Structures are given as C-alpha cells and as structure tokens.
Amino acid sequence: MTLGDVLFVVSAIFLVGATVWGATILCATLFKTRLEPAATWLEAGPWKTFGLGLLLGLPVITFGLILVAFPHPVTKFLGTVVWAFTLLSAVYGGASIALVIAKRLRTQTPELTQSQAVNRGAILLVAAQALPIVGMFLVWPFVFFASIGCAARAMRSKALSAPTPPPEII
C-alpha cells in the first residue's frame, strides 16, 4: 500500500462525510415541519425507531443486494436505485436526528441560533460515525437504521396543506 492509496481513502472518507453533512443540513432546513414529528417520536422511543428502521431497512437492503447480484444490466440498475433510495431515506431521517441534537444543544447553550445548532448537530452526527471501530461498527448501524425509521415516520406524518398566498398589492 502506497501513500497515495492512504490519501485516497482518507480523502474519500472526508468527502463522503462532507456530502452527508451538507445533505443533512439541506433536509433539516427544507423539510423541518415534516421532520419535527419524527424527531419527537425518536425522543419518545429511540428503540422503537431503531426497530422500525431495522424492520423496513433490512428487507429493502437485501432486495437491493439480490438485484445487484443478477448479471443483467437492468436489474443491476434497479438494485442501485433501491440502494440510492435507501441511502437518501437515511439522510432524510438523519436530519431529524440532527434536529434532536440541535434541540438539546440549544437547551445547554441558549445563545445558539437554530441554524447554528442544526449545523453543529449534523457535524456531531457525521463525526461520531467516522470514528474508527466504535463509530463505524457501533454508532453507524444504529444511526443508519434509526434514520430509516425516522424517515418512515416523517413520510407517514400528515401532509400539510399548502399555505395560501398573500394578496397581491397593486
């Protein structure tokens, strides 16, 4: 193994972490009203959320693996789409975990704004998963499946009606 290989792996981990951090903040900002019920549900029962994510995530991941294993390009593509949907759902649900962390950070440090707290919550969430051994094999699976559970809860929450536009001023 050369130094270039090591630099590639380290930079790949850093870039994936930065991408997940940015996507988490984007989801937390855009879908805050949809994610707040899921965050409340996560606080009320984290093991129920993890169990729901495990119940929904394992069959979908297995189905994606089976599709990718077939030699036909269409099934490989469909398996990749299933995996991409699963990862996107995990990022979407991870934003609700970042909202829970942000709420707890704001109780400890009241001078933080909501966006600063969500930013720090997302950084803590991503950084905890990047830790060697403990983060990758203990924290990451729990966060991944709890995120899928939060995403399922957020997607099942009641749809909000569109706000009425303000009257036009002539």
Side-chain angles (χ1 to χ4, degrees):
M1 188 185 288
T2 64
L3 184 61
D5 296 336
V6 174
L7 288 176
F8 173 75
V9 170
V10 170
S11 62
I13 290 172
F14 177 75
L15 289 175
V16 166
T19 303
V20 170
W21 166 74
T24 302
I25 289 178
L26 179 72
C27 287
T29 304
L30 289 179
F31 308 114
K32 183 178 178 191
T33 55
R34 294 289 290 209
L35 290 172
E36 283 177 345
T40 304
W41 199 60
L42 175 68
E43 283 183 310
W47 291 108
K48 288 181 184 178
T49 307
F50 175 74
L52 178 65
L54 200 63
L55 186 68
L56 295 174
L58 278 181
V60 172
I61 291 169
T62 305
F63 180 65
L65 273 174
I66 290 169
L67 286 177
V68 169
F70 284 124
H72 198 273
V74 174
T75 58
K76 286 188 180 294
F77 174 73
L78 290 175
T80 305
V81 168
V82 167
W83 274 79
F85 176 75
T86 306
L87 293 175
L88 180 65
S89 297
V91 170
Y92 181 67
S96 62
I97 297 175
L99 287 175
V100 170
I101 296 171
K103 187 163 74 170
R104 292 184 181 180
L105 283 173
R106 287 192 73 189
T107 58
Q108 294 176 355
T109 315
E111 63 267 6
L112 285 177
T113 64
Q114 177 66 23
S115 60
Q116 288 174 333
V118 169
N119 186 14
R120 290 183 186 182
I123 288 172
L124 286 172
L125 186 66
V126 171
Q129 296 175 54
L131 292 172
I133 309 299
V134 173
M136 294 177 184
F137 296 113
L138 293 177
V139 176
W140 183 84
F142 178 79
V143 169
F144 181 74
F145 288 115
S147 296
I148 292 176
C150 285
R153 182 67 177 163
M155 289 179 201
R156 277 186 33 204
S157 65
K158 269 192 172 174
L160 303 172
S161 60
T164 58
E168 291 185 25
I169 300 175
I170 298 176

